[in-house]
Amino acid sequence: MELIEDKSRPPLVPVKGVPLIKYFAEAIGPLQNLTPLPDDLLISTYPKSGTTWMSEILDMIYHGGKLEKCRRAPIYQRVPFLEFRCPGVPSGLETLEETPAPRLLKTHLPLSLLPRSLLDQKVKVIYIARNAKDVVVSYYNFYNMAKLHPDPGTWDSFLQNFMDGKVSYGSWYQHVKEWWELRHNHPILYLFYEDMKENPKREIKKVLEFLGRSLPEETVDLIVHHTSFKKMKENPMSNYTTIPNDVMDHGVSPFLRKGIAGDWKNTFTVAQNEHFDAHYAKTMAGCDLKFRWEL
Ligand code: PPS
């Protein structure tokens, strides 16, 4: 683990045209040597789309719903975040080396930066997509509290940067579309955050089927209960409060902030919404992906 004194808000660094957090950009090269194991499972999302929620669900599935086992470590140690690097905290690759099989892996990378081996070896993927308006509001709050990001500026300028793909991980539009298309030639379960909110049990059953696993009904109910927003928010092993305060400041905004569909209405102005909708219609034209903006 390296020690770097100044880790405050460095500017994003483009990698193959995709802006990334500076330290994550430095991880992309070494990550390309990743050797997947046959039973690895990749959780892929654009940021703020329900990654942590799905990670907790999967860890519970992998441990047969045994709570004590899922409390063994914080979520970012149980589910290594591949491109993660941060001074003073073990990197994603370092964490991965310590992780026994069967492994759960997390990434937000677009396909152009994903280690090729994950695609070539057909590593199973669970992709979660969330409507762009809730993503950008969640992302703005996250940028404010997670100090590895540059200063987000005003909400209005952040919204425009998001629409222009000038935030960390680049374009939401391209991300959700390219992973959607990948389902034609890769084993992917493509899920939606809004569906998980509407009926988590139904979505967990889809996950079980995709994994070829089964669990007793009462265990599935237990997983639904313990991965609820309320339970995860109060669980230090899933709420990121174990990360040093100078990296994530929960006083600015908690990591588990609101956990609902449609919260964007509390932040978007009418004018911003109209501007966003017009751009959205153009950018998503011809794509058969349909999102729900509220429940
Ligand atoms: S990250 O940093 O990209 O990995 O963030 P990610 O985990 O993908 O997304 C964080 C948002 O997901 C919400 N969340 C949940 N919603 C409902 N139920 C559960 N259990 C849950 N766990 C996390 C979290 O609150 C963030 O959304 P916002 O809208 O900011 O509340």
Side-chain angles (χ1 to χ4, degrees), residues 74-136:
I75 194 66
Y76 49 86
Q77 285 172 18
R78 287 179 281 145
V79 180
F81 178 12
L82 294 182
E83 65 271 23
F84 178 81
R85 265 188 83 247
C86 169
V89 184
S91 70
L93 277 175
E94 284 169 334
T95 307
L96 189 64
E97 279 168 23
E98 308 292 315
T99 305
R103 308 183 300 186
L104 297 165
L105 322 175
K106 159 181 169 177
T107 190
H108 296 310
L109 290 173
L111 289 176
S112 61
L113 300 182
L114 193 74
R116 193 65 236 172
S117 52
L118 290 167
L119 296 172
D120 291 344
Q121 296 186 34
K122 300 276 183 226
V123 167
K124 278 190 173 180
V125 176
I126 298 188
Y127 187 89
I128 325 286
R130 185 183 192 186
N131 83 71
K133 293 180 189 177
D134 280 328
V135 166
V136 64

Side-chain angles (χ1 to χ4, degrees), residues 233-247:
K233 190 177 170 74
E234 65 198 24
N235 177 2
M237 293 300 126
S238 58
N239 67 14
Y240 277 93
T241 51
T242 47
I243 294 268
N245 210 46
D246 58 338
V247 178

Side-chain angles (χ1 to χ4, degrees), residues 159-175:
L159 178 61
Q160 190 59 52
N161 281 338
F162 177 87
M163 290 162 61
D164 295 341
K166 291 183 182 157
V167 293
S168 184
Y169 291 102
S171 166
W172 173 91
Y173 310 86
Q174 187 176 331
H175 205 285

Side-chain angles (χ1 to χ4, degrees), residues 47-52 106 108 130 138 193 227 257-259:
K48 313 324 288 178
S49 302
T51 335
T52 315
K106 159 181 169 177
H108 296 310
R130 185 183 192 186
S138 180
Y193 178 93
T227 58
R257 193 183 56 92
K258 288 205 178 170

Side-chain angles (χ1 to χ4, degrees), residues 5-286:
E5 287 304 315
D6 182 18
K7 55 192 169 198
S8 60
R9 299 203 174 284
L12 299 178
V13 172
V15 182
K16 291 195 195 164
V18 180
L20 290 179
I21 287 174
K22 173 179 175 280
Y23 303 110
F24 296 11
E26 292 161 4
I28 299 302
L31 194 56
Q32 302 311 308
N33 299 323
L34 179 81
T35 309
L37 301 177
D39 53 1
D40 281 348
L41 177 72
L42 181 66
I43 306 162
S44 169
T45 59
Y46 189 84
K48 313 324 288 178
S49 302
T51 335
T52 315
W53 190 5
M54 181 52 70
S55 300
E56 193 66 43
I57 288 172
L58 283 164
D59 192 46
M60 285 207 79
I61 290 176
Y62 274 34
H63 290 90
K66 299 263 177 336
L67 272 181
E68 338 70 71
K69 291 202 174 149
C70 298
R71 299 236 163 100
R72 69 194 182 283
I75 194 66
Y76 49 86
Q77 285 172 18
R78 287 179 281 145
V79 180
F81 178 12
L82 294 182
E83 65 271 23
F84 178 81
R85 265 188 83 247
C86 169
V89 184
S91 70
L93 277 175
E94 284 169 334
T95 307
L96 189 64
E97 279 168 23
E98 308 292 315
T99 305
R103 308 183 300 186
L104 297 165
L105 322 175
K106 159 181 169 177
T107 190
H108 296 310
L109 290 173
L111 289 176
S112 61
L113 300 182
L114 193 74
R116 193 65 236 172
S117 52
L118 290 167
L119 296 172
D120 291 344
Q121 296 186 34
K122 300 276 183 226
V123 167
K124 278 190 173 180
V125 176
I126 298 188
Y127 187 89
I128 325 286
R130 185 183 192 186
N131 83 71
K133 293 180 189 177
D134 280 328
V135 166
V136 64
V137 170
S138 180
Y139 213 1
Y140 181 65
N141 284 285
F142 186 57
Y143 249 69
N144 266 316
M145 70 86 81
K147 306 291 165 78
L148 293 181
H149 296 98
D151 190 314
T154 64
W155 157 243
D156 197 57
S157 66
F158 186 81
L159 178 61
Q160 190 59 52
N161 281 338
F162 177 87
M163 290 162 61
D164 295 341
K166 291 183 182 157
V167 293
S168 184
Y169 291 102
S171 166
W172 173 91
Y173 310 86
Q174 187 176 331
H175 205 285
V176 296
K177 284 194 276 191
E178 69 185 19
W179 283 88
W180 178 241
E181 290 311 316
L182 190 72
R183 79 195 188 287
H184 295 302
N185 51 18
H186 196 94
I188 295 189
L189 178 66
Y190 198 105
L191 298 175
F192 295 88
Y193 178 93
E194 294 74 22
D195 293 347
M196 288 169 63
K197 279 301 297 182
E198 182 179 65
N199 189 338
K201 189 170 180 179
R202 179 189 62 207
E203 301 308 300
I204 290 173
K205 285 187 169 176
K206 286 185 195 167
V207 169
L208 285 169
E209 195 186 335
F210 179 67
L211 299 178
R213 289 178 181 241
S214 65
L215 286 173
E217 200 69 11
E218 55 274 22
T219 307
V220 178
D221 288 335
L222 187 91
I223 294 175
V224 171
H225 179 68
H226 283 285
T227 58
S228 69
F229 179 78
K230 186 171 173 292
K231 285 285 173 190
M232 282 183 58
K233 190 177 170 74
E234 65 198 24
N235 177 2
M237 293 300 126
S238 58
N239 67 14
Y240 277 93
T241 51
T242 47
I243 294 268
N245 210 46
D246 58 338
V247 178
M248 281 191 185
D249 187 346
H250 295 260
V252 172
S253 175
F255 184 91
L256 277 100
R257 193 183 56 92
K258 288 205 178 170
I260 56 171
D263 177 51
W264 60 270
K265 290 181 177 177
N266 296 313
T267 303
F268 276 64
T269 63
V270 172
Q272 285 168 343
N273 195 36
E274 285 171 0
H275 177 54
F276 188 94
D277 283 347
H279 172 264
Y280 188 92
K282 261 193 273 162
T283 316
M284 297 297 278

